[in-house]
Amino acid sequence: MLDRRLFLLGSAATVLVSAACHGQSAPVQGTSRVAGLSAPVEIIDDRWGVPHIRAQTKPDAFFGQGYVVARDRLFQIDLAHRRELGRMAEAFGPEFAKHDAVARLFHYRGDLDAELARVPKEVRDAVAGYIAGINARIAEVEKNPALLPPEYRILGVKPLRWDIRDLVRARGSSMGNADDEIRRAKLAALGMLELDAVIAPLRPTWKLAVPEGLDTSKVSDADLGVLQLGRLPFGPDTPTREPEEDLDRAQAGSNAWTIAGSRTTTGRPILANDPHLGIGGFGPRHVAHLTAPGLDVIGGGAPGLPGIMQGHTDRFAFGRTNFHIDQQDLFVLELDPKDPERYRHEGGWKRFERVEEVIPVKGGPAQKVVLRYAVQGPVIMHDPAKGRATALGSIGMQPGGSGSFAMVAINLSRDWNSLKEAFKLHPSPTNFHYADVDGNHGWQVIGFVPQRKKGDGLMPVPGDGRYDWNSYRDFRALPSEFNPQKGWFASANQNNLPADWPREKIPAYSFRDPYRYERVAEVLGSHQRHSVASSVALQFDTLSTPAKQFLALLPKQPSAGAAPAVKMLSGWDAKLDRDSGAAALYEIVWRDLGKRMLAEIVPEKAKGLVDEIAPSELLRRAASRPAMVDAALASGWAEAQRLMGSDPAGWRWGTLHQVRIAHPLSSIPAIAAAFPPIEGEGSGGDSYTVMARWLGNGPGWRTGGGASYLHVIDVGDWDKSVMLNLPGQSNDPRSPHYRDQYAPWIKGEMQPMPFSRAAVDAVAASRSTLMPQGPATKGKGK
C-alpha cells in the first residue's frame, strides 16, 4: 500500500489553538436555510450522537447524510478528497506536487458523462443530494468561521467544494498486491520461489510458475515506480494513511454471519457484522439513519462515501466482509530503443497516451507533469535508459470501476432480487450478507473479476499483449447461497469458494488463515438457540486457535529458563483476554518464535524478501523444532519480566496492547494541543481471534486495528439491535461524542440502535431543521 503523510508545520501555529477551540460544532436546536434541498429536512441527534434524518424525498435524505457527515467529520473527508483529487500542493506547498501527480495518474481518463449515465437516475440523484449536503455545510462554515473545525485555522486552509464528477474521476492509487508480485519474481530469480509459502501460503493451493517471457533477473523494486513515493511530507511521525491502507496480508478482513430464525430464540433472523479496519487515527465509520418515503436505512457509512455500508433498512439487514479477487496486474513493457514513447505490443510498437497536467502550487509556480498510459493502465515507471517501463492494470481504472454509487444502490433496494441490480455497480470484492423480515438469509460474492488472456495474476507479466485482459465479469460469475440448509452462514476472509468451484474460475489465491471462521463456525454450529446477546458475545470472543495449537507444543521437560513460562502457559485457557498475564506471555513468546524461525529457514540473500511468517506455517515448522520452542519460551519469559515487571501476578495483556487514538496530524504541535489523544485502556485479542484487535506496525504492542464498528441486528424487531462505533461520532474534541464510545468499546458494552420513530424520539438529544434556501432546488452536486 502507499504510505501517505503530512508535513510538520512550525510550532508558531500553537498560538492559534485557543482561538480554534472557541467554536462549537455540537448539534444544536434551530433552523438553517441551505441550498440544494427540495423540502425541509429534520435532523434528530440521539444521545449517542447518531443523526436520524427525516426527509420528504430520497435525494433530500442523502443530502442530510452529506450534511451531517460534513458537520461531524469535515476535515477528515476534505483531506481525503483533496488527496484523491491531487490538490494537496495548492494548499500545502511544492513538496506535495509529486504526490498530486500520482493521484492524478490514477484519475479515470474515459468519458465521465458515460460513467454517470450508466448509473440509474434514482441512485445518481441521491448521490448528487449527498454531495449537495456536504457543500451546504461547507457554505455554512464559510459564512460563519466559528463553525470551522480547528484544523482549518491551524493549517490556514479552506475546505474544497465537491462535484459528483469527482466521484467517478478519482480511482485511488493503492499498490494492492503489486509488491507481492515483485517479491515472488525476485524469489524466483534467486531460485527460492518455494519460500513464498512461508510468508503467504496460497489459498486455494496452487503451484507458482514464472510467466512465459518474464525475465525475473531484471525484476526489482524499481518496477513499482511511483507507488513507492512514500509518505506525504508533513513530518516523519505524522501518519495520514486511511484506515483501509493500514492493513497487512494477515489482518485485512472482517467477520459477518447470518442465522436463520429456526436457529434463534425469537424465531427471527440475526445478522452480525464487524468490519476490521485500522485503529489509531480518524474513525473509519460514521453512523446515520436516513428516512424518506420508500427509504428507511440506518448503519455505518464510510465518511465521504454516499450511503450506508453496514446496517439495515426497514426490510432487510446487510453486512460485508472482504472477499478475495485479484484485481491488479503489473505489466512489464519493453520500450522502443529509437523512441521511448513507444512500447512493444502485439508484434509492433504502440505509442503511450500522454496527458499533461498542471498542478497549482501554494507559494510557487504551477508545475507541469506528463502522465503516461499504456493499453493495460497507468504507467508507474518509465526508464528509457533501461528500455523498460511498467504499467498497473486494475479494475478500478476500468469503465464502471468506481464504487462510489454502490452503497446508495444497495440502500434503495427492497429485497434480494432488487439487490442484484445494485450489485452491478459494486466493483470491490465483498462477501455480502443478507437477512430479511420474511425470514430469508443469504450470501452473495460481489465484485468485478478480470478476465485474463493468460496467466494467474501472481507475478509480473510481459506487457506485449499476451497477458492483457479481455474484459471483466461481475457478481453473476461468483458464488452465492440462499437460505442454506444448516441455518447459518459466516465469512471471515477464509477460502469460502465451494469445494467444486472450477479451477479456471478461481478469482484469487490470497484467502486468509481460517482461524476466525473456524471459531465462528464452532459456535454457530452448536445446538444452542442463538440470540442477539450470544452474537455479541461471539464478536468479543478471544479464544485463539493458534494459541491452542501452540500450547500442544509446550515441552514436557523444559529447560530451566523455559520452565516458568511452561508452568504459566500450561494452565492457560488460550483466551487472549486483556486481564490475562498468560496471554501477554504467549504474544511475546509467539513473536520471538517467529523471529527465530525466520532466522533459521530463510537464507541470507532472501531475508529482505521473507521477513514474516504465516501462523499456520510457523506452527507446522515449530512442531519439529522443540529446542527452538524451548528457547523462545525462555527468551519470552525474560522479555515479559523486562516489559511488565518481575512479578507475573501483575502481568496483563492489556498493559501492552494499548488502544490509543490520535489525530493523524498530531505531530504538529497546534494539532496535538487542540486534539487530545484518546487513550488509557488496553485491549484483548489479536489478529486471529474473532475479536480482532491486531498489533500495529513496528516493535511495540499497540492495538493497530480491528473491529472499530460492530453491529448485531435483530431482523424485524429493529429496535433491539445494537452497535458500537469507536471512538465516537465526531472528530471534534468540543463535541460530547468525540470519545464517548471508547470505554464501551473497550468493555464490549454494545449501545442501542433505535430505529422506530417512537424509539428515536424517546432518546432525542437535539433537533434541528434544514430549510430550502429560496426557491426549491434539487442541486446538481456542484
Side-chain angles (χ1 to χ4, degrees):
M1 293 283 183
L2 280 176
D3 288 325
R4 302 177 172 102
R5 292 201 175 197
L6 303 178
F7 75 97
L8 179 63
L9 295 182
S11 59
T14 55
V15 300
L16 298 175
V17 173
S18 60
C21 294
H22 287 162
Q24 176 56 254
S25 69
V28 295
Q29 297 188 154
T31 299
S32 301
R33 290 197 173 273
V34 293
L37 278 178
S38 66
V41 169
E42 185 181 21
I43 301 173
I44 298 95
D45 288 277
D46 68 25
R47 66 178 64 167
W48 300 278
V50 174
H52 301 262
I53 300 156
R54 295 172 180 171
Q56 298 177 35
T57 69
K58 295 173 185 176
D60 282 354
F62 285 96
F63 179 104
Q65 186 193 20
Y67 178 89
V68 297
V69 166
R71 181 196 70 186
D72 295 339
R73 307 284 188 92
L74 180 57
F75 186 76
Q76 177 182 1
I77 66 173
D78 182 44
L79 183 66
H81 191 54
R82 180 180 289 278
R83 189 185 63 195
E84 292 299 323
L85 291 180
R87 297 182 60 181
M88 296 291 288
E90 69 180 80
F92 299 114
E95 300 92 343
F96 290 81
K98 58 186 178 180
H99 296 268
D100 286 346
V102 176
R104 294 177 186 222
L105 179 65
F106 286 88
H107 285 181
Y108 183 68
R109 298 298 171 179
D111 188 334
L112 296 183
D113 291 331
E115 288 290 280
L116 284 169
R118 69 194 302 155
V119 179
K121 184 178 185 303
E122 183 181 44
V123 175
R124 195 167 63 244
D125 289 347
V127 172
Y130 178 89
I131 292 171
I134 291 175
N135 287 336
R137 178 60 181 181
I138 291 173
E140 278 191 344
V141 300
E142 288 174 340
K143 186 177 180 179
N144 181 6
L147 296 174
L148 268 171
E151 296 100 330
Y152 290 99
R153 286 184 289 274
I154 293 171
L155 299 175
V157 297
K158 295 180 180 180
L160 291 176
R161 295 295 182 104
W162 290 46
D163 189 305
I164 193 170
R165 292 163 65 86
D166 292 336
L167 297 189
V168 296
R169 175 183 288 109
R171 298 296 173 94
S173 53
S174 167
M175 186 180 291
N177 63 355
D179 53 345
D180 292 332
E181 294 184 22
I182 293 290
R183 181 189 69 247
R184 295 186 187 109
K186 292 171 70 175
L187 284 171
L190 294 173
M192 299 179 181
L193 191 51
E194 73 282 355
L195 286 178
D196 193 65
V198 171
I199 191 169
L202 298 183
R203 299 184 181 90
T205 56
W206 184 249
K207 183 175 176 57
L208 283 168
V210 176
E212 180 185 352
L214 177 69
D215 185 347
T216 58
S217 68
K218 294 183 179 179
V219 174
S220 72
D221 290 343
D223 288 330
L224 295 172
V226 297
L227 297 183
Q228 299 182 103
L229 188 56
R231 307 173 186 277
L232 288 172
F234 269 113
D237 301 315
T238 307
T240 55
R241 290 189 298 258
E242 290 297 292
E244 289 82 354
E245 296 173 13
D246 208 21
L247 311 177
D248 71 22
R249 63 179 53 87
Q251 299 163 345
S254 303
N255 304 317
W257 56 84
T258 55
I259 310 172
S262 61
R263 301 290 306 276
T264 69
T265 58
T266 63
R268 296 184 299 272
I270 291 172
L271 186 147
N273 191 198
D274 53 297
H276 301 166
L277 299 165
I279 293 172
F282 291 135
R285 291 290 179 267
H286 179 268
V287 182
H289 180 189
L290 287 61
T291 306
L295 173 71
D296 203 357
V297 62
I298 188 173
L305 180 69
I308 301 301
M309 295 190 74
Q310 289 107 349
H312 70 80
T313 72
D314 56 333
R315 294 288 307 164
F316 64 85
F318 56 98
R320 61 181 57 234
T321 67
N322 285 354
F323 186 72
H324 293 262
I325 301 175
D326 185 351
Q327 295 186 321
Q328 290 186 340
D329 282 343
L330 188 64
F331 294 88
V332 179
L333 308 173
E334 177 190 349
L335 299 181
D336 182 350
K338 296 180 181 179
D339 183 357
E341 292 303 319
R342 301 198 305 174
Y343 60 99
R344 189 180 297 280
H345 191 263
E346 294 186 338
W349 297 106
K350 190 171 185 65
R351 189 164 296 277
F352 290 115
E353 177 189 355
R354 288 166 52 101
V355 176
E356 292 191 0
E357 289 269 347
V358 178
I359 299 175
V361 175
K362 180 180 180 180
Q367 296 190 17
K368 293 182 179 180
V369 295
V370 174
L371 310 176
R372 295 178 178 85
Y373 297 86
V375 168
Q376 299 90 354
V379 175
I380 60 174
M381 187 278 290
H382 184 258
D383 189 346
K386 293 184 178 179
R388 184 182 183 88
T390 53
L392 189 68
S394 71
I395 283 294
M397 293 297 290
Q398 303 301 310
S402 169
S404 297
F405 301 89
M407 298 309 111
V408 171
I410 287 169
N411 299 163
L412 295 175
S413 301
R414 300 297 294 166
D415 53 27
W416 184 247
N417 287 328
S418 61
L419 277 166
K420 294 178 181 179
E421 289 300 309
F423 294 159
K424 295 177 182 178
L425 300 175
H426 196 295
S428 60
T430 300
N431 291 292
F432 188 86
H433 287 249
Y434 169 92
D436 67 28
V437 294
D438 297 322
N440 301 303
H441 72 119
W443 158 71
Q444 172 69 61
V445 176
I446 52 181
F448 294 172
V449 185
Q451 300 301 292
R452 299 175 173 90
K453 290 182 180 179
K454 187 178 181 180
D456 54 21
L458 292 171
M459 288 194 204
V461 292
D464 57 14
R466 288 176 288 170
Y467 294 87
D468 288 2
W469 297 358
N470 290 317
S471 61
Y472 62 80
R473 296 179 182 175
D474 64 16
F475 76 98
R476 289 168 289 189
L478 295 166
S480 66
E481 196 165 5
F482 196 67
N483 291 330
Q485 187 175 4
K486 63 187 177 185
W488 61 271
F489 188 90
S491 67
N493 321 113
Q494 82 286 4
N495 176 15
N496 57 358
L497 291 169
D500 59 351
W501 194 252
R503 173 63 68 174
E504 68 274 10
K505 291 185 178 181
I506 290 176
Y509 298 91
S510 53
F511 291 90
R512 305 296 188 234
D513 280 295
Y515 300 125
R516 285 182 286 112
Y517 172 77
E518 289 170 352
R519 176 58 176 160
V520 171
E522 176 187 6
V523 173
L524 296 186
S526 68
H527 295 295
Q528 67 170 316
R529 291 276 177 171
H530 300 280
S531 64
V532 168
S534 66
S535 275
V536 170
L538 182 54
Q539 286 184 328
F540 289 91
D541 187 281
T542 61
L543 182 68
S544 168
T545 299
K548 287 176 62 177
Q549 295 173 355
F550 175 77
L551 293 179
L553 303 180
L554 293 177
K556 303 299 183 184
Q557 296 181 320
S559 66
V566 170
K567 181 179 180 181
M568 187 174 197
L569 292 173
S570 295
W572 180 44
D573 59 7
K575 292 183 178 180
L576 297 176
D577 294 331
R578 68 176 184 142
D579 292 329
S580 169
L585 174 62
Y586 159 75
E587 292 286 354
I588 295 169
V589 171
W590 178 265
R591 179 182 285 185
D592 186 278
L593 180 62
K595 291 179 178 178
R596 291 173 184 274
M597 188 65 70
L598 287 171
E600 177 175 307
I601 67 175
V602 180
E604 188 64 34
K605 59 184 177 180
K607 289 189 184 300
L609 298 174
V610 184
D611 57 0
E612 61 181 285
I613 183 168
S616 54
E617 188 70 6
L618 178 57
L619 288 163
R620 182 182 72 81
R621 292 174 180 264
S624 60
R625 292 171 170 82
M628 182 183 291
V629 173
D630 188 283
L633 287 161
S635 177
W637 182 263
E639 178 68 3
Q641 289 183 309
R642 186 185 73 82
L643 290 172
M644 295 179 288
S646 59
D647 184 4
W651 295 356
R652 301 289 184 270
W653 175 219
T655 301
L656 300 179
H657 203 35
Q658 288 287 300
V659 181
R660 186 178 192 272
I661 298 170
H663 195 289
L665 305 189
S666 58
S667 71
I668 299 172
I671 295 287
F675 293 85
I678 302 167
E679 58 186 342
E681 298 287 352
S683 174
D686 70 1
S687 299
Y688 310 109
T689 54
V690 178
M691 189 183 81
R693 306 277 173 89
W694 66 74
L695 276 64
N697 295 328
W701 301 94
R702 181 184 64 82
T703 302
S708 54
Y709 171 82
L710 310 91
H711 70 217
V712 179
I713 308 299
D714 188 334
V715 178
D717 197 354
W718 307 114
D719 289 334
K720 293 183 179 177
S721 304
V722 292
M723 57 152 282
L724 274 173
N725 187 33
L726 180 75
Q729 283 284 95
S730 176
N731 285 347
D732 195 323
R734 300 167 296 182
S735 167
H737 306 296
Y738 178 63
R739 60 168 297 158
D740 58 324
Q741 296 205 32
Y742 176 76
W745 186 86
I746 291 290
K747 298 175 183 177
E749 297 173 348
M750 298 288 273
Q751 306 297 293
M753 196 175 186
F755 183 70
S756 69
R757 194 176 190 92
V760 170
D761 288 342
V763 294
S766 68
R767 294 175 182 268
S768 58
T769 302
L770 302 178
M771 298 290 292
Q773 188 179 74
T777 59
K778 293 188 177 180
K780 295 183 179 179
K782 295 186 178 181

